[in-house]
Amino acid sequence: MTGSPAPADPALAFPFVGGRPCLDFVATLGKRHATPLERIPDAGALARWFTEAELTAADTPARVTARELTDARLLREALYGLVRAAMAGQRPDPADVERVNAVAAQPDLAPQLGPVRWTARTPARAALSTVARDAVLLVRGPLLERVKECENPDCSLLFLDDSQARRRRWCSMDRCGNLAKIAGYRSRSRAASGR
């Protein structure tokens, strides 16, 4: 199946604010603390994510099967569990570790010089392997301490805090940071007017 067109609902657009492919992939399920928002409802949406994440082997979208979609969602949840456990300094669920390791052990996308960025025999599986390997490197490396969850209670996005002072609170100023500023302004305005 080829990629699907961009969704009509802006909430279903893929947020690329994580700073790492694995964190951006975890964000394909949004609003985890409320009513979850599935951003890869079908194989076409997953193919579109690969394209937008620049994890396609050629200029054409990756072909994604129903089985690969199921495997991708299982990997996504294993990645989320793995990263959250690592952030909390806890032991991850062995099933999450087993799933991430199994996908990471598969052939990943091979970088290429020239007009084609990547090559792979099975592009969808290779893209998932690349994402899984990124997660392994993240949780085993020094950048793990910079992974945070957005402080907006309606958001559950994880991101790599790349700010100089390491005080970033929001997944993005364009998304949740701006909403927090507006809410704060309105709250101060109401208090000042005595309402």
Side-chain angles (χ1 to χ4, degrees), residues 32-191:
R32 290 176 179 270
H33 307 309
T35 303
L37 177 63
E38 180 60 74
R39 292 186 176 106
I40 51 170
D42 54 41
L46 179 57
R48 186 170 51 81
W49 187 86
F50 289 146
T51 298
E52 291 183 24
E54 298 182 351
L55 293 175
T56 53
D59 291 338
T60 59
R63 296 185 62 77
V64 177
T65 66
R67 172 61 189 227
E68 289 166 335
L69 174 63
T70 299
D71 291 346
R73 288 179 179 158
L74 291 171
L75 173 63
R76 176 187 64 197
E77 296 314 299
L79 292 172
Y80 180 73
L82 180 73
V83 172
R84 292 296 299 178
M87 288 169 63
Q90 299 171 349
R91 293 182 72 111
D93 183 323
D96 290 344
V97 172
E98 184 178 343
R99 180 168 305 279
V100 171
N101 281 340
V103 176
Q106 296 175 12
D108 66 344
L109 294 169
Q112 301 291 296
L113 294 174
V116 175
R117 184 173 179 167
W118 306 103
T119 189
R121 279 192 174 164
T122 54
R125 294 222 172 263
L128 291 175
S129 178
T130 298
V131 169
R133 289 177 186 208
D134 181 59
V136 170
L137 294 172
L138 179 63
V139 299
R140 296 193 82 180
L143 296 179
L144 175 64
E145 66 188 32
R146 292 174 35 195
V147 177
K148 296 180 180 178
E149 183 177 44
C150 181
E151 289 187 18
N152 178 347
D154 294 330
C155 184
S156 61
L157 297 183
L158 302 177
F159 62 90
L160 184 66
D161 182 357
D162 57 0
S163 67
Q164 191 168 9
R166 307 285 183 257
R167 287 191 231 146
R168 186 170 151 197
R169 300 172 50 201
W170 317 111
C171 60
S172 161
M173 281 308 295
D174 292 340
R175 294 172 60 89
C176 295
N178 193 41
L179 294 174
K181 279 182 161 184
I182 292 168
Y185 173 77
R186 287 180 180 158
S187 177
R188 288 187 303 277
S189 294
R190 280 193 296 273

